[in-house]
């Protein structure tokens, strides 16, 4: 089978796919953003606040610090998922079925060609690809390929066609 044969990519923009895309992009951006240091600083301050609250009997500060830590570790994604779900419910693209073809020219999304030269970066995540172009990105779940052979052909074509291809672990 030739690498130059069109690679078919099909998936429905369901709520689960939308949430997966949101979580994948959020985690990737947070992991690779300088803002992550702000989060670490925030956690350090909260921990110092706990120690200070215990030493000074400042239970109000201890309560606030405890709530912030619980939010950060337990409720950050569930709250975000709730808000994102509302966005999906109001979206005009919900349950849209994407038909894509990838070849040496680029990726055709519902008949519109995105040339490889327009794609600035491709990130391969565990279960998806993020393709950044212009001021947007395209999310492609790896389950959208008909099999591992198609996914491998797409990976090979993407690495060959786009200068910045990264695999994020």
């Amino acid at each position: 089978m030739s690498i130059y044969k069109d690679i078919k990519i099909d998936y429905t923009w369901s709520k689960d796919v939308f949430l997966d895309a949101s979580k994948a992009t959020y985690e990737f951006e947070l992991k690779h953003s300088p803002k992550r240091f702000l989060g670490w600083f925030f956690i350090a301050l909260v921990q110092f606040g706990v120690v200070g609250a215990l030493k000074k009997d400042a239970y109000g500060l201890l309560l606030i610090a405890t709530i912030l830590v619980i939010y950060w570790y337990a409720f950050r994604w569930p709250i975000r998922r709730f808000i994102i779900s509302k966005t999906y419910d109001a979206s005009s693209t919900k349950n849209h079925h994407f038909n894509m073809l990838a070849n040496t020219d680029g990726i055709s999304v519902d008949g519109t060609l995105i040339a490889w030269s327009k794609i600035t970066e491709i990130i391969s995540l565990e279960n998806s690809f993020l393709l950044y172009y212009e001021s947007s990105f395209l999310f492609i779940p790896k389950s959208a390929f008909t099999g591992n052979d198609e996914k491998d052909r797409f990976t090979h074509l993407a690495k060959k066609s786009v200068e910045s291809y990264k695999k994020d672990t």
Side-chain angles (χ1 to χ4, degrees):
M1 192 179 317
S2 170
I3 186 80
Y4 301 107
K5 183 180 174 202
D6 286 353
I7 301 166
K8 190 173 174 158
I9 306 165
D10 278 324
Y11 68 96
T12 301
W13 192 242
S14 66
K15 192 175 220 172
D16 288 338
V17 171
F18 183 77
L19 290 171
D20 288 347
S22 298
K23 189 169 186 179
T25 56
Y26 174 74
E27 288 176 352
F28 178 78
E29 295 295 332
L30 186 63
K31 183 177 175 183
H32 296 284
S33 167
K35 292 178 186 175
R36 73 182 181 276
F37 299 117
L38 185 62
W40 294 348
F41 181 70
F42 163 75
I43 294 297
L45 281 179
V46 168
Q47 290 174 342
F48 284 121
V50 168
V51 171
L54 290 173
K55 283 186 175 182
K56 303 281 185 190
D57 291 330
Y59 296 109
L61 182 58
L62 180 61
L63 177 65
I64 291 170
T66 302
I67 289 169
L68 290 174
V69 168
I70 290 171
Y71 162 76
W72 187 259
Y73 287 108
F75 294 116
R76 188 170 37 136
W77 173 245
I79 290 171
R80 193 170 167 76
R81 183 178 59 222
F82 175 76
I83 294 167
I84 292 168
S85 292
K86 296 293 181 192
T87 303
Y88 175 81
D89 292 337
S91 172
S92 62
T93 59
K94 67 180 174 184
N95 294 318
H96 177 77
H97 186 80
F98 283 97
N99 294 301
M100 300 182 200
L101 288 175
N103 57 34
T104 55
D105 297 328
I107 299 175
S108 176
V109 181
D110 294 336
T112 303
L113 181 69
I114 301 170
W116 289 113
S117 60
K118 300 276 186 198
I119 299 173
T120 55
E121 183 175 35
I122 297 178
I123 310 294
S124 175
L125 302 172
E126 183 179 348
N127 296 316
S128 59
F129 293 101
L130 299 175
L131 287 74
Y132 290 91
Y133 68 99
E134 295 171 354
S135 62
S136 190
F137 73 93
L138 184 62
F139 176 83
I140 301 176
K142 290 185 177 175
S143 62
F145 296 93
T146 55
N148 282 335
D149 182 46
E150 293 286 295
K151 183 179 61 167
D152 292 343
R153 288 179 51 232
F154 176 79
T155 300
H156 183 269
L157 181 61
K159 284 179 181 178
K160 185 180 110 187
S161 303
V162 177
E163 193 171 309
S164 181
Y165 180 95
K166 298 176 186 168
K167 184 170 179 143
D168 191 61
T169 54

